[in-house]
Amino acid sequence: MAMVLNEEAGMLKDAAKGFLTGSAPVSQLRKLRDEKNEDGFDRKTWSAMAEMGWTSVLVPEDFGGVEMGYVAAGVIAEEMGRTLTASPYLSTAIMGATAFSRFGTDAQKSEWLPRIAAGDAITAIAVDESGKHAPSKVATTAERSGNGFKLNGRKTFVAEGHVADMLIVSARTAGSETEAEGITLFLVPRDAAGVSVERSDMVDSRNSARVTLDNVEVTADAVLGEVDGGLKTLEGVLDAGRAGLSAEMSGSAQQCLETTASYLKERKQFGAIIGTFQALQHRAAHLYSEVELGKSVVLKALQTLDAAPDHAAILVCAAKAKMGQVAQLATQEALQMHGGIGMTDEYDVGFFMKRVRVAEALYGDANFQADKFARMRNY
């Protein structure tokens, strides 16, 4: 499989770049932050994305989608990373669409996939319960009640949780708190009785929420996947999100490199353009090499998700681990080479650094992914 974008993906990349540069630049995120926007993203921009088909790239044609695949979804996420576009794209168009299209029942697909494709519904994944990502550590319980279940527990760092129409919640239906078996995924409407959602102000000015479930009753039809066997389903959804985040961080890293390279060609120190200093040239060259390596592994992970999703986990681990490290390096080098002014609010470098820190940690940081990779390879 060629490690390059095909013509269709290339055209999508150009279109996404043109739209986001003009309609959702970093200044939009700055405005959302300063105005303390209740949604945390621009609804008009989100509607425009849906009209262009971005929310339907992973939705099958039978349900109103364009079914372009994960490489196409990654291309869009990468361009969003360049402009730090705030939107429910990751939680809904990538993770939500993956959850329903790969693991949903016919009824669940018919109800939710057309709404996702049209941009009319927002979904959120409620998985973590502590400060560290641990999808198999689930204390939230789901006890059988009548023809359904009753859920109790708390979730944290739920991306887009406070604006979601539907929460996809992991809960324990059997076993102890740390067992892999006994986890089940449930579809829980955000406005269901007993659901309490509190928005969290994140350092990257993006959306996250704490979700509390207090005797929340759902029917058996709310189960996504298999009862007691939900971890495999959850990991499939998370891998789609991890690949999307890797693509987003790749875009952010590329933008930081380009912005810094331009700055090196303009800034003067000691009467000379600082880009002529050999030490800075070496650092820029090293960063370029790392960014290119990261781009390659991200593209390979996305291609594998398209060709063989059940065998993509190990490459997704590699992509998330590598790109998380590269993106952090890119923001750190951008800050260092801009000097102290780089961290002032006047410049965008600080916004990239904050977003990359959050994206790197979300759904498992580099250490988590490296450990998972090693376990999968039986190290």
Side-chain angles (χ1 to χ4, degrees):
M1 187 179 295
M3 293 294 290
V4 293
L5 297 177
N6 60 27
E7 183 178 357
E8 186 179 51
M11 292 175 63
L12 177 61
K13 180 180 177 67
D14 292 339
K17 184 175 184 177
F19 172 78
L20 293 170
T21 301
S23 300
V26 180
S27 59
Q28 185 185 80
L29 177 63
R30 186 188 295 272
K31 182 179 179 182
L32 291 168
R33 180 203 64 178
D34 293 345
E35 295 180 350
K36 300 187 184 300
N37 184 280
E38 292 183 0
D39 292 329
F41 67 98
D42 184 73
R43 293 273 180 178
K44 290 183 179 179
T45 302
W46 177 241
S47 295
M49 292 177 186
E51 290 175 4
M52 291 186 292
W54 293 5
T55 54
S56 64
V57 289
L58 295 179
V59 176
E61 294 181 4
D62 292 344
F63 298 98
V66 295
E67 202 171 3
M68 293 180 68
Y70 287 98
V71 170
V75 163
I76 296 170
E78 181 180 309
E79 292 306 318
M80 287 183 174
R82 283 180 171 272
T83 60
L84 300 181
T85 304
S87 80
Y89 181 76
L90 178 73
S91 70
T92 303
I94 293 183
M95 300 180 77
T98 296
F100 289 110
S101 63
R102 287 190 60 192
F103 307 107
T105 63
D106 290 341
Q108 291 167 347
K109 291 177 181 179
S110 297
E111 181 179 2
W112 288 101
L113 287 176
R115 294 183 63 188
I116 290 175
D120 294 335
I122 296 174
T123 60
I125 312 300
V127 53
D128 288 317
E129 301 181 1
S130 65
K132 286 290 186 179
H133 180 61
S136 62
K137 187 177 181 181
V138 179
T140 297
T141 60
E143 299 179 353
R144 290 193 178 273
S145 175
N147 70 336
F149 297 82
K150 186 177 292 184
L151 279 63
N152 285 278
R154 295 181 178 180
K155 299 292 183 177
T156 188
F157 298 119
V158 182
E160 317 306 335
H162 82 292
V163 292
D165 300 290
M166 181 62 73
L167 302 170
I168 301 175
V169 180
S170 62
R172 186 161 295 284
T173 45
S176 64
E177 184 176 325
T178 57
E179 285 185 47
E181 296 299 320
I183 296 173
T184 305
L185 296 187
F186 294 92
L187 303 178
V188 181
R190 181 173 58 89
D191 59 0
V195 176
S196 175
V197 180
E198 178 188 359
R199 181 182 180 182
S200 302
D201 291 328
M202 300 290 287
V203 68
D204 62 348
S205 304
R206 299 282 286 271
N207 289 337
S208 185
R210 300 183 185 91
V211 176
T212 302
L213 307 165
D214 184 12
N215 290 322
V216 178
E217 295 188 2
V218 296
T219 67
D221 292 336
V223 173
L224 181 68
E226 300 180 3
V227 174
D228 295 343
L231 185 60
K232 182 178 179 181
T233 300
L234 178 59
E235 285 291 354
V237 176
L238 288 172
D239 278 344
R242 290 161 180 158
L245 279 168
S246 300
E248 180 193 327
M249 288 190 291
S250 176
S252 294
Q254 291 174 57
Q255 186 61 45
C256 285
L257 173 60
E258 292 174 14
T259 300
T260 303
S262 296
Y263 183 76
L264 294 180
K265 296 173 184 177
E266 299 171 356
R267 177 78 167 102
K268 286 187 176 181
Q269 189 70 30
F270 307 114
I273 298 293
I274 62 174
T276 61
F277 300 160
Q278 192 175 55
L280 296 183
Q281 292 176 353
H282 287 173
R283 289 169 66 174
H286 173 248
L287 178 57
Y288 173 81
S289 299
E290 290 296 300
V291 169
E292 289 299 307
L293 287 171
K295 285 171 57 178
S296 295
V297 70
V298 171
L299 178 57
K300 184 62 177 179
L302 293 167
Q303 290 176 335
T304 307
L305 278 170
D306 281 329
D310 291 334
H311 302 284
I314 196 164
L315 281 165
V316 171
C317 281
K320 185 70 161 56
K322 180 62 177 179
M323 206 64 243
Q325 294 173 335
V326 171
Q328 289 201 78
L329 174 65
T331 58
Q332 290 165 2
E333 288 290 68
L335 176 62
Q336 287 289 321
M337 287 191 255
H338 274 78
I341 197 172
M343 201 56 190
T344 62
D345 199 61
E346 178 184 354
Y347 281 69
D348 292 337
V349 175
F351 283 86
F352 281 92
M353 175 170 282
K354 292 169 185 175
R355 175 55 186 167
V356 163
R357 289 292 177 90
V358 173
E360 195 270 340
L362 190 59
Y363 308 135
D365 60 15
N367 290 331
F368 175 92
Q369 303 299 339
D371 179 73
K372 183 180 177 183
F373 182 98
R375 293 175 186 275
M376 294 179 71
R377 293 299 299 269
N378 296 316
Y379 285 176

